[in-house]
Amino acid sequence: MMQRQPRIMNLLLLEDNPLDVWQFTSVVRPEDAAVTVVENGAEALDRIFRRGKFKNSPAFDLVVADLNVPLLNGHEVLNVIKGNSLTCHIPVIVWTVSEDPRDVRKAFDLGCCAYMIKPTDIGETEALLRAFKEFWLRRTRYPMTLNRANAANPAGLDLPLSA
């Protein structure tokens, strides 16, 4: 029996700081996930809902969002994603510098799955992102991703999302 290649997850990273994008994509490599980077909340929603020039955007399996981005902030994007029946299944993880308990509470109240605070030390950031990658991209299974895999896998074999 021929073994299938694991399906790479589609991840949307909402981040406007080039250094943070570089740190994220230096740990989360193309073999881990197909990362689409957007710098503002409006474009994030256009891509998620496949509006306008993004009508051919992939369906996203996971969103990682900074709170402090232009146009629509991370809380607003999270609220729209979780408030829509077409997208409420998408896990959203906040990755931000804010340690404000009000931001943490609001993010969880709006439906985020995790809240990661960006360390100031590059080594700590790398360790945090490696732990993120191990848990969210290698260990966790997602219903919508598995449903799409099962459509191409009628035998119901448990296909891993990443190697």
Side-chain angles (χ1 to χ4, degrees):
M1 181 164 116
M2 186 171 97
Q3 183 155 358
R4 295 177 193 243
Q5 275 298 95
R7 183 188 154 315
I8 298 293
M9 290 185 63
N10 290 315
L11 185 151
L12 181 71
L13 174 62
L14 172 56
E15 177 58 66
D16 65 334
N17 182 324
L19 178 59
D20 291 337
V21 170
W22 175 82
Q23 288 180 309
F24 189 91
T25 57
S26 69
V27 173
V28 178
R29 309 287 303 163
E31 59 271 16
D32 301 315
V35 178
T36 300
V37 178
V38 295
E39 296 179 357
N40 66 71
E43 183 179 339
L45 292 177
D46 284 346
R47 285 182 181 268
I48 289 168
F49 288 101
R50 300 173 179 172
R51 297 189 290 227
K53 66 182 180 179
F54 303 114
K55 69 180 178 186
N56 295 321
S57 281
F60 292 102
D61 302 303
L62 183 64
V63 174
V64 176
D66 187 7
L67 294 180
N68 303 309
V69 291
L71 300 183
L72 294 171
N73 69 39
H75 282 130
E76 293 166 320
V77 170
L78 176 58
N79 187 44
V80 172
I81 292 170
K82 292 303 182 175
N84 187 291
S85 63
L86 298 175
T87 57
C88 63
H89 67 278
I90 302 171
V92 179
I93 298 162
V94 173
W95 183 45
T96 187
V97 297
S98 177
E99 296 183 52
D100 187 331
R102 293 171 297 189
D103 284 338
V104 176
R105 168 58 54 205
K106 184 174 182 179
F108 278 103
D109 286 348
L110 291 171
C112 82
C113 294
Y115 192 100
M116 300 188 306
I117 297 171
K118 295 176 183 175
T120 55
D121 177 78
I122 194 164
E124 289 178 25
T125 299
E126 184 176 326
L128 174 71
L129 292 173
R130 287 193 185 288
F132 160 84
K133 179 171 77 170
E134 179 64 24
F135 181 80
W136 291 100
L137 301 180
R138 294 192 175 155
R139 302 282 179 197
T140 302
R141 296 295 181 253
Y142 301 90
M144 294 307 290
T145 303
L146 293 175
N147 287 342
R148 275 188 261 143
N150 287 337
N153 178 20
L157 301 175
D158 186 18
L159 302 176
L161 296 179
S162 59

